[in-house]
């Protein structure tokens, strides 16, 4: 199988790169430094840790006439402004890749959406579960949503991990990609400033996806036909992705962003949206929840869409979207047979 990145993808490593410590900006490049190697060099030149901490690393580099090319870990182009922190993309051997767990998670969401879409009783069950938890719990919103989601998943996928139909779907990590770029990502519908993230900006890589028939046969489920083979899963993911895109095209994006969504919609294969910055719709069955007559009052009870600044609920939920500074939506990939 081959996975193609259609729009910038960011899957965080959990680490942040700090300007003038982990990286510097030089011209149109972000130079990520081998900081321990550089510090050892400065110590050899007579500096101690206190001296280094007192001034910006860039100043020391310029003062000592250091050629940063000798201390670089890797170099990236960037689009937009480079902020004081850059969220690092997950890597193996210094190269970015897409984890199998991220791919499988996106497939899982699509299959859940498909199951609920084709069984109204499941949607009613999801709403009832949320209502019960809101009434009984004073816990955090995220916990309530997670517990309700877990209940629904047990109905669709199986009562426990051993009896989960997704156990039959084997997804490997992708091979490394060669194209990484730092993007400034902005939040539409918000006054907040942009953030800088490393993204796979495009390209293709090998990835392994397989369905273990023997595992699937051993599981008793009414929904295991949804994951019986690659083509069935691909059809479900395309249907979910088309519904996502149709919903996104109703948002007040600039036309160039809408054109990106339309281009994704034309792709054939297993179309997925994964990683950071992809929004509530992409990671939940929110598209279906919103169609239920009880959802609007329920989401207010949950506090979804509450503005701390205005002390009122937004009429539109979700209100914000993340896009790159040049108008690209995040996270779209397509998987095909080679």
């Amino acid at each position: 199988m081959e996975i193609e990145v259609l729009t910038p993808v960011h899957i965080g490593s959990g680490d942040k790169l700090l300007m003038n410590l982990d990286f510097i900006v030089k011209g149109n490049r972000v130079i990520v430094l081998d900081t321990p190697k550089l510090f050892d060099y400065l110590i050899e030149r007579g500096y101690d840790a206190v001296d280094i901490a007192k001034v910006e690393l860039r100043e020391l580099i310029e003062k000592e006439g250091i050629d940063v090319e000798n201390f670089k870990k890797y170099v990236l182009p960037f689009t937009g402004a480079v902020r004081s922190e850059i969220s690092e993309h997950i890597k193996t051997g210094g190269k970015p890749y897409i984890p199998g767990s991220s791919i499988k998670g996106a497939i899982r969401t699509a299959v859940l959406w498909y199951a609920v879409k084709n069984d109204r009783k499941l949607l009613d069950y999801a709403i009832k579960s949320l209502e019960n938890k809101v009434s009984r719990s004073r816990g955090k919103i995220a916990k309530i949503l997670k517990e309700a989601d877990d209940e629904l998943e047990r109905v669709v996928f199986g009562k426990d991990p051993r009896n989960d139909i997704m156990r039959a779907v084997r997804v490997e990590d992708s091979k490394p990609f060669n194209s990484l770029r730092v993007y400034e990502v902005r939040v539409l519908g918000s006054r907040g400033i942009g953030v800088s993230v490393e993204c796979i900006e495009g390209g293709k890589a090998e990835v392994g996806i397989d369905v273990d028939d023997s595992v699937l046969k051993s599981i008793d489920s009414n929904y295991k036909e949804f994951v019986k083979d690659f083509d069935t899963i691909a059809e479900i993911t395309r249907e979910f992705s088309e519904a996502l895109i149709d919903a996104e095209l109703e948002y007040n994006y600039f036309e160039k962003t809408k054109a990106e969504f339309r281009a994704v919609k034309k792709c054939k294969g297993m179309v997925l949206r994964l990683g950071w910055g992809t929004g509530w719709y992409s990671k939940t069955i929110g598209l279906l929840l919103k169609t239920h007559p009880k959802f609007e009052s329920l989401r207010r009870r949950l506090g979804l869409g509450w503005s701390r600044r205005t002390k009122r609920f937004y009429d539109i939920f979700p209100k914000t979207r993340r896009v790159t500074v040049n108008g690209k939506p995040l996270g779209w990939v397509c998987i095909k047979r080679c």
Side-chain angles (χ1 to χ4, degrees), residues 127 130 280 286 289-300 302 304 317:
I127 291 293
L130 282 171
W280 187 67
L289 292 175
K290 288 192 72 173
T291 66
H292 198 282
K294 293 184 177 181
F295 177 74
E296 185 58 26
S297 62
L298 185 55
R299 72 106 171 169
R300 289 171 182 264
L302 284 163
L304 297 174
F317 176 80

Side-chain angles (χ1 to χ4, degrees), residues 90-334:
I90 193 168
K91 302 180 182 73
T92 179
K95 293 284 189 178
Y97 72 102
I98 296 177
S101 58
S102 295
I103 298 169
K104 191 168 181 177
I107 293 172
R108 191 179 183 92
T109 300
V111 172
L112 183 64
W113 172 87
Y114 185 80
V116 176
K117 173 181 173 290
N118 288 282
D119 188 345
R120 177 73 186 194
K121 290 179 181 178
L122 287 175
L123 182 57
D124 291 337
Y125 179 89
I127 291 293
K128 187 65 176 177
S129 177
L130 282 171
E131 285 181 322
N132 290 339
K133 290 184 179 349
V134 170
S135 299
R136 296 198 313 262
S137 174
R138 295 182 180 179
K140 294 182 178 179
I141 296 170
K143 182 181 178 182
I144 293 171
L145 293 173
K146 176 70 166 57
E147 288 177 352
D149 181 67
D150 288 346
E151 282 189 7
L152 180 62
E153 288 201 8
R154 283 193 290 271
V155 173
V156 173
F157 295 116
K159 61 183 179 181
D160 55 50
R162 182 170 180 78
N163 292 286
D164 191 318
I165 61 173
M166 288 298 295
R167 188 164 68 87
V169 181
R170 309 284 175 82
V171 186
E172 298 174 357
D173 295 342
S174 79
K175 297 297 184 183
F177 287 81
N178 294 315
S179 183
L180 196 65
R181 174 180 288 268
V182 175
Y183 280 95
E184 180 188 1
V185 176
R186 294 180 177 174
V187 182
L188 303 181
S190 169
R191 298 183 179 184
I193 63 171
V195 297
S196 295
V197 296
E198 290 183 348
C199 293
I200 301 173
E201 64 172 335
K204 300 177 181 179
E206 290 182 28
V207 68
I209 299 180
D210 187 35
V211 177
D212 189 322
D213 291 335
S214 62
V215 171
L216 198 59
K217 287 177 181 177
S218 69
I219 298 172
D220 183 19
S221 170
N222 294 327
Y223 302 99
K224 62 184 181 183
E225 286 297 304
F226 294 169
V227 296
K228 65 181 181 180
D229 54 38
F230 177 84
D231 290 334
T232 301
I233 297 171
E235 185 176 341
I236 288 172
T237 64
R238 278 199 307 273
E239 189 171 331
F240 179 47
S241 294
E242 287 175 4
L244 285 176
I245 290 170
D246 288 343
E248 292 291 359
L249 289 174
E250 295 178 5
Y251 191 77
N252 190 30
Y253 288 111
F254 287 116
E255 183 54 38
K256 61 182 178 181
T257 303
K258 291 186 176 183
E260 294 277 353
F261 280 114
R262 293 189 189 103
V264 170
K265 199 172 182 179
K266 294 177 182 178
C267 293
K268 305 299 180 185
M270 183 182 290
V271 182
L272 300 168
R273 197 176 193 191
L274 48 79
W276 175 85
T278 55
W280 187 67
Y281 284 145
S282 299
K283 298 184 183 299
T284 68
I285 58 165
L287 287 173
L288 298 174
L289 292 175
K290 288 192 72 173
T291 66
H292 198 282
K294 293 184 177 181
F295 177 74
E296 185 58 26
S297 62
L298 185 55
R299 72 106 171 169
R300 289 171 182 264
R301 289 172 64 190
L302 284 163
L304 297 174
W306 171 257
S307 171
R308 293 182 180 177
R309 184 177 62 85
T310 64
K311 306 299 182 186
R312 58 190 295 268
F313 284 95
Y314 294 119
D315 293 331
I316 300 172
F317 176 80
K319 178 178 179 288
T320 60
R321 301 289 194 281
R322 285 188 172 93
V323 295
T324 65
V325 70
N326 58 340
K328 293 180 180 291
L330 295 161
W332 287 102
V333 302
C334 183

